[in-house]
Amino acid sequence: MKIGDNFLGFGISGKGLSIQRKKMNLIAENLANGNTVRTEDGKPINRKILTVKQNDIPFNDTFNDMKSTIKLSSTNSNHITAPSTFEINSPQKNGLEFDIKDDSTQGDIVYMPEHPDANQDGYVQLSNINTITEMIDMIAATRSYEANLTAFNSSKQMAKDSLEI
């Protein structure tokens, strides 16, 4: 859902909210799988990490997106009009690229000879998901989400106040 472009605070806050929501979902998945030793294919469970990359969006593309959502009309011949050579691009692109990677660090190896996934020597490799690390990441993501929500509400209040002038 597009709630604004990059020039307005709505779009920037919306991107931040989207990123933090995806991060919280990934943390919840990591916590749910924290005590699982093996996947269905027999490999140990690895922690998943979200990486976000902001692609470079040329200024013209951003301006074109803005042009497609905001129509300007000139009432005076001295006003600057938007050139007609700009292309109207899809306003749905936001320039964010999400990638989920597996953390390749090895989990703890514990001696549990009765465990069904134990090797010949009786050791089991546990997942590399640390509950404390996940909880710290979850608190950070929550705080970032709240900060983006506060910024979004501030933008909304400014837009609302500007309509009352």
Side-chain angles (χ1 to χ4, degrees):
M1 180 174 94
K2 184 168 175 66
I3 53 175
D5 54 36
N6 289 330
F7 284 125
L8 301 174
F10 298 121
I12 295 170
S13 297
K15 284 181 183 179
L17 290 170
S18 174
I19 291 169
Q20 297 310 320
R21 181 180 52 85
K22 287 183 187 293
K23 191 170 183 180
M24 288 291 289
N25 288 339
L26 202 59
I27 290 169
E29 184 179 327
N30 283 339
L31 285 172
N33 292 324
N35 291 329
T36 306
V37 176
R38 299 257 179 235
T39 61
E40 292 177 359
D41 53 347
K43 296 179 182 175
I45 297 280
N46 285 327
R47 177 178 185 237
K48 294 182 180 174
I49 302 170
L50 177 69
T51 57
V52 181
K53 180 181 174 189
Q54 172 71 49
N55 294 328
D56 291 334
I57 301 174
F59 178 76
N60 283 344
D61 290 348
T62 305
F63 182 74
N64 287 335
D65 286 348
M66 186 175 185
K67 183 183 166 195
S68 67
T69 56
I70 298 175
K71 303 293 180 198
L72 299 176
S73 63
S74 62
T75 56
N76 188 334
S77 62
N78 293 329
H79 289 169
I80 299 172
T81 58
S84 60
T85 57
F86 286 112
E87 298 175 8
I88 297 177
N89 293 329
S90 169
Q92 296 299 322
K93 66 180 179 182
N94 60 8
L96 294 178
E97 190 174 301
F98 297 100
D99 189 23
I100 298 174
K101 295 180 179 176
D102 282 344
D103 186 2
S104 61
T105 58
Q106 188 175 15
D108 293 336
I109 298 175
V110 180
Y111 181 71
M112 292 190 292
E114 294 86 23
H115 197 280
D117 293 325
N119 63 9
Q120 297 167 346
D121 299 329
Y123 290 97
V124 176
Q125 181 180 354
L126 301 177
S127 70
N128 62 357
I129 299 171
N130 185 343
T131 305
I132 296 171
T133 303
E134 297 300 320
M135 294 300 287
I136 291 169
D137 286 349
M138 186 173 69
I139 290 170
T142 303
R143 298 289 182 232
S144 296
Y145 189 89
E146 290 171 353
N148 281 300
L149 190 60
T150 301
F152 183 83
N153 285 333
S154 296
S155 297
K156 185 173 74 175
Q157 187 64 39
M158 284 189 281
K160 187 177 174 183
D161 289 345
S162 68
L163 294 175
E164 294 177 359
I165 293 176

